[in-house]
């Protein structure tokens, strides 16, 4: 399995894990105790037709809190071993935020003060993880995230494919080379010097010819 050493913040995750596990243990214990009470005593006279709903809701809450604890344990193991991909972390945070958001709304409708306090802690901590995971995934898609298997390419020339980048401040760029056009035709020979004194002689014109426009023509 590939390594995913992404910058997961301990201040966000550790705080969220501790709060979620503690609150889930409280809810898990309360739900188990209610189920035990319902088995030991006949609550039909007290709850009437709601006895089945009461038992089902307690069992459902046990399942949800157990799932949250398992997801937190998986996150702890994968992040500690640097094997947590950002997409999986974002998915886990979305699931927890959605579940506890729905339960918080239901508790608010039921006007259960203690349940509202506990579920708002779970919802707020899950939402914090969701925001943190969304930032990591967004930076990874933009290519500005350091860590994991991705590393932005370093281009000292300041160029990208098909795009000219401005020189970075403080970076020295050598001056451009000479781009003067040179004809492939042979260059004319240099003027000839006649003697060591440096006298320059004009080219010899054959006898019987005249010179016009620097070209010799026969008479």
């Amino acid at each position: 399995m590939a390594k995913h050493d992404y910058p997961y913040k301990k201040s966000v995750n550790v705080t969220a894990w501790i709060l979620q596990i503690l609150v889930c243990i409280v809810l898990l214990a309360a739900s188990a105790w209610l189920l035990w009470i319902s088995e030991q005593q006949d609550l039909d006279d007290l709850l009437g037709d709601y006895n089945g709903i009461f038992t089902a809701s307690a069992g459902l809450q046990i399942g949800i809190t157990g799932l949250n604890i398992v997801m937190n344990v998986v996150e702890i193991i994968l992040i500690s071993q640097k094997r947590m991909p950002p997409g999986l972390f974002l998915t886990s945070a979305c699931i927890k935020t959605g579940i506890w958001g729905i339960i918080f709304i239901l508790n608010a409708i039921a006007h259960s003060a203690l349940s509202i306090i506990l579920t708002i802690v779970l919802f707020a901590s899950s939402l914090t993880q969701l925001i943190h995971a969304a930032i990591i995934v967004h930076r990874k898609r933009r290519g500005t995230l350091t860590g994991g298997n991705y590393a932005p390419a370093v281009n000292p020339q300041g160029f990208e494919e098909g795009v000219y980048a401005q020189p970075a401040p403080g970076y020295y760029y050598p001056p451009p080379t000479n781009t003067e056009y040179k004809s492939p035709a042979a260059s004319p020979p240099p003027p000839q010097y006649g003697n060591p004194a440096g006298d320059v002689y004009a080219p010899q014109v054959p006898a019987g010819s005249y010179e016009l426009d620097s070209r010799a023509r026969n008479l």
Side-chain angles (χ1 to χ4, degrees):
M1 189 174 181
K3 291 284 186 179
H4 299 280
D5 188 14
Y6 293 103
Y8 298 109
K9 292 184 178 181
K10 293 182 179 179
S11 59
V12 174
N13 291 322
V14 173
T15 304
W17 290 331
I18 293 175
L19 291 175
Q20 290 174 16
I21 291 176
L22 290 177
V23 175
C24 285
I25 290 175
V26 172
L27 293 176
L28 187 63
S31 300
W33 180 73
L34 291 175
L35 287 178
W36 181 79
I37 291 296
S38 64
E39 292 293 333
Q40 296 296 324
Q41 300 178 5
D42 189 6
L43 301 180
D44 291 338
D45 296 336
L46 179 63
L47 298 176
D49 296 337
Y50 296 99
N51 188 20
I53 298 176
F54 174 80
T55 305
S57 61
L60 180 61
Q61 185 163 275
I62 291 176
I64 292 175
T65 52
L67 176 63
N68 197 127
I69 293 175
V70 171
M71 294 176 68
N72 286 342
V73 172
V74 172
E75 290 175 3
I76 293 171
I77 294 174
L78 293 180
I79 291 179
S80 62
Q81 295 183 354
K82 299 181 180 180
R83 297 184 182 275
M84 171 65 81
L88 180 60
F89 183 56
L90 179 62
T91 302
S92 177
C94 288
I95 294 174
K96 292 189 294 185
T97 304
I99 290 174
W100 294 121
I102 294 173
I103 295 177
F104 169 72
I105 294 174
L106 294 176
N107 289 332
I109 295 174
H111 300 286
S112 178
L114 181 59
S115 298
I116 290 175
I117 294 173
L118 294 177
T119 53
I120 198 173
V121 172
L122 294 169
F123 174 70
S125 59
S126 300
L127 183 61
T128 303
Q129 283 188 305
L130 175 60
I131 295 173
H132 178 50
I135 292 174
I136 292 178
V137 172
H138 178 66
R139 289 179 179 176
K140 183 176 182 295
R141 289 180 177 177
R142 293 186 59 187
T144 59
L145 181 66
T146 57
N149 295 328
Y150 175 81
V154 178
N155 190 356
Q157 298 295 332
F159 294 96
E160 298 178 358
E161 293 187 8
V163 179
Y164 176 76
Q166 297 295 330
Y171 187 86
Y172 172 74
Y173 289 85
T177 57
N178 186 11
T179 58
E180 181 182 358
Y181 173 77
K182 294 182 180 181
S183 174
S187 302
Q192 300 179 358
Y193 296 89
N195 53 32
D199 297 335
V200 179
Y201 292 94
Q204 298 295 329
V205 180
S209 64
Y210 65 94
E211 184 179 355
L212 181 63
D213 295 336
S214 301
R215 291 176 292 178
R217 292 178 174 81
N218 296 326
L219 294 174

